[in-house]
Amino acid sequence: MDTLTSLLHPPSFSSSFINHSSSSSSSSFTIKAFPKRRLFYINNNTGKSLPVVKSALDEVPVLDPPPPPPPPPFGNERENNKLVASLKLKLLSIVSGLNRGLAASEDDLQKADAAAKELEAVGGLVDLSNDIDKLQGRWKLIYSSAFSSRTLGGSRPGPPTGRLLPITLGQVFQRIDVLNKDFDNIVELQLGAPWPLPPVEVTATLAHKFELIGSAKVKITFEKTTVKTTGNLSQLPPLEIPRIPDALRPPSNTGSGDFEVTYVDADTRITRGDRGELRVFVIA
């Protein structure tokens, strides 16, 4: 029997000795393996040394640990939907009796802001960059903190409400067309007339174009205002008021503005304007 004649490492490191003989052949060999060595050699009766790739004693697989499981969601979906519905109801209950903010006191403003922040926190960050269709539709304004200034311009200059001018604010809508980038503010107004004439009802449409800035901020640029009589005078043609040239425009009225969408779902939207205005809309 031939023995191992050439080893890669000294025999003092060997950890096992294996004998093997074949009954069908005159060839025989002896294998010595080293647990910490990758290669060793054997010698058979042909006198040639052959490499063996790995020692069985050194064959210890090393596997990467499995990735950690994803964190559990915040409650289950049903509980989260119930919480959202509850917070929406709370917000709508607070602002429903404030005449869109015209009748809001300082305490009312704080309560509405706190309720809106609760809903915003549960809803998480809004990302419209891949879901701009959430803005599509006709939205009804049910609350604006800016209307507490008692002017139709909100925090910007505008005609005052009340007895100074015979103007009554009706419904306010936003009509958003995400395909054509149209953004229209639609305001229903009632203009007083000398007795015994009835008040004149008009709808003013302030047409804008909009663009998305970042993931949730919307910039609007004013284009024109169209005034259309309604009610008994609805047969009159609309009156288009062109945009004031930039050179004649007061510094406080640049014709553009921006706001951030802080919460939106299929029927409710919350925005915060560039002057801190909180606005709450529901789908119309």
Side-chain angles (χ1 to χ4, degrees):
M1 177 185 297
D2 294 329
T3 58
L4 189 64
T5 59
S6 177
L7 294 175
L8 182 62
H9 301 286
S12 58
F13 292 95
S14 64
S15 63
S16 65
F17 185 87
I18 304 174
N19 290 315
H20 175 78
S21 61
S22 173
S23 58
S24 60
S25 171
S26 60
S27 63
S28 62
F29 57 88
T30 302
I31 300 176
K32 286 188 177 182
F34 301 91
K36 299 301 181 181
R37 306 300 179 183
R38 290 294 181 182
L39 296 177
F40 63 92
Y41 294 86
I42 64 172
N43 182 275
N44 58 12
N45 56 1
T46 63
K48 296 180 179 180
S49 296
L50 300 176
V52 176
V53 178
K54 291 182 180 180
S55 167
L57 298 179
D58 197 26
E59 198 67 18
V60 180
V62 178
L63 301 177
D64 292 332
F74 179 73
N76 57 48
E77 184 176 357
R78 183 177 180 181
E79 291 177 350
N80 191 64
N81 290 340
K82 289 174 63 177
L83 179 58
V84 168
S86 175
L87 293 177
K88 285 167 62 174
L89 179 60
K90 178 181 177 180
L91 175 61
L92 298 181
S93 299
I94 290 174
V95 303
S96 61
L98 301 180
N99 190 17
R100 283 143 298 169
L102 291 169
S105 65
E106 185 63 32
D107 185 58
D108 294 326
L109 294 175
Q110 294 179 5
K111 289 180 179 179
D113 187 72
K117 286 180 178 178
E118 287 183 307
L119 183 55
E120 291 165 343
V122 173
L125 295 177
V126 176
D127 185 1
L128 299 173
S129 57
N130 295 318
D131 206 0
I132 192 67
D133 289 344
K134 286 186 175 181
L135 296 180
Q136 178 71 33
R138 182 182 173 95
W139 297 86
K140 179 180 178 181
L141 176 71
I142 61 172
Y143 173 77
S144 171
S145 63
F147 280 167
S148 65
S149 64
R150 308 301 191 271
T151 76
L152 297 183
S155 59
R156 292 176 170 82
T161 61
R163 296 181 179 180
L164 295 179
L165 287 176
I167 299 176
T168 301
L169 177 66
Q171 302 295 336
V172 180
F173 300 92
Q174 282 184 351
R175 182 174 57 206
I176 304 176
D177 183 348
V178 298
L179 183 61
N180 296 309
K181 304 299 182 183
D182 291 331
F183 190 101
D184 299 335
N185 286 321
I186 304 170
V187 183
E188 296 177 354
L189 299 170
Q190 190 178 78
L191 309 178
W195 187 86
L197 297 176
V200 178
E201 298 176 352
V202 301
T203 298
T205 301
L206 288 73
H208 300 76
K209 289 292 184 180
F210 84 91
E211 61 178 317
L212 185 64
I213 303 175
S215 60
K217 183 172 288 188
V218 177
K219 179 180 179 181
I220 59 174
T221 302
F222 175 75
E223 291 193 325
K224 62 181 180 180
T225 298
T226 302
V227 178
K228 179 72 174 68
T229 54
T230 59
N232 296 330
L233 300 177
S234 59
Q235 70 276 9
L236 296 178
L239 174 64
E240 183 173 309
I241 304 174
R243 174 177 173 172
I244 301 175
D246 292 339
L248 303 177
R249 189 183 301 276
S252 60
N253 185 4
T254 61
S256 64
D258 58 71
F259 60 86
E260 185 173 1
V261 180
T262 55
Y263 178 84
V264 62
D265 60 21
D267 55 35
T268 305
R269 177 164 56 94
I270 300 175
T271 67
R272 294 186 180 269
D274 54 0
R275 298 195 181 188
E277 305 99 328
L278 168 66
R279 297 186 176 97
V280 181
F281 298 84
V282 294
I283 200 71

